[in-house]
Amino acid sequence: MPEGPVPSSAGVSGRMQRQRRKDTEPELTLRHALHRAGLRYRVGLPVTGLPRRTIDIAFTRIKLAVFVDGCFWHGCPQHATWPKANAAWWEAKILKNRERDRETIRQLEDAGWTVIRIWEHEPAESAAGHLIDVVKGMWACVAPPPPDTVSRTPALAR
């Protein structure tokens, strides 16, 4: 794939340069909803073994990786738009993004992580509700019971 397409106009070029790579509005809205629900997480955690790849929202103790994918950049089946200018370059770019996503998922799953991908068009509150349920379920499987729920029955006599 060539270094980059020739911009079709200065306006398009400027708009593409202003696109955020991290802390996008859908990411921030989802993170705020999770934080309000009392969940704590890491942001931008590097993916081991894959340079320049980070997890958008990582729950490290339960190994849950959450990615918030942009409809344009990751080729959403519902909302993807395919530019007419430089169409071949953009198609190759988006297909390469999808392949990179699959490689990242494979790497994380091989390392024992659960991966959830959320499209930017999904309402943050419903996505957060789903993630809260997943996190609680995963915590129930790995976390020891809180101290006040430990059985207080005396040890059996020897």
Side-chain angles (χ1 to χ4, degrees):
M1 186 159 51
E3 188 64 32
V6 176
S8 57
S9 73
V12 169
S13 180
R15 190 168 54 248
M16 296 310 270
Q17 288 174 351
R18 288 189 299 274
Q19 292 292 317
R20 297 185 72 102
R21 293 175 186 243
K22 62 180 183 174
D23 297 334
T24 63
E25 186 176 338
E27 283 180 40
L28 291 174
T29 305
L30 178 60
R31 287 181 359 213
H32 291 150
L34 294 172
H35 196 270
R36 277 193 310 274
L39 298 181
R40 300 302 178 256
Y41 45 81
R42 301 267 314 267
V43 176
L45 184 72
V47 176
T48 304
L50 295 176
R52 298 185 57 200
R53 303 214 195 146
T54 60
I55 301 169
D56 294 335
I57 302 169
F59 297 90
T60 55
R61 291 189 182 175
I62 57 173
K63 289 190 163 188
L64 174 63
V66 180
F67 294 91
V68 182
D69 292 338
C71 290
F72 174 77
W73 297 104
H74 297 268
C76 170
Q78 287 181 289
H79 301 104
T81 57
W82 298 94
K84 290 180 178 67
N86 301 307
W89 188 90
W90 281 110
E91 181 180 9
K93 168 73 174 157
I94 292 168
L95 293 175
K96 186 176 176 184
N97 288 351
R98 287 178 174 174
E99 179 54 38
R100 190 172 53 246
D101 292 343
R102 286 189 291 273
E103 182 184 11
T104 301
I105 290 169
R106 278 191 302 272
Q107 179 83 3
L108 287 167
E109 286 178 344
D110 288 349
W113 286 73
T114 299
V115 178
I116 295 178
R117 299 196 86 90
I118 297 173
W119 289 108
E120 71 174 336
H121 66 262
E122 294 182 46
E125 292 303 323
S126 65
H130 172 67
L131 285 174
I132 290 165
D133 291 343
V134 170
V135 169
K136 285 181 180 177
M138 291 178 77
W139 267 114
C141 294
V142 298
D148 60 341
T149 62
V150 175
S151 174
R152 301 198 192 293
T153 57
L156 295 174
R158 291 178 202 214

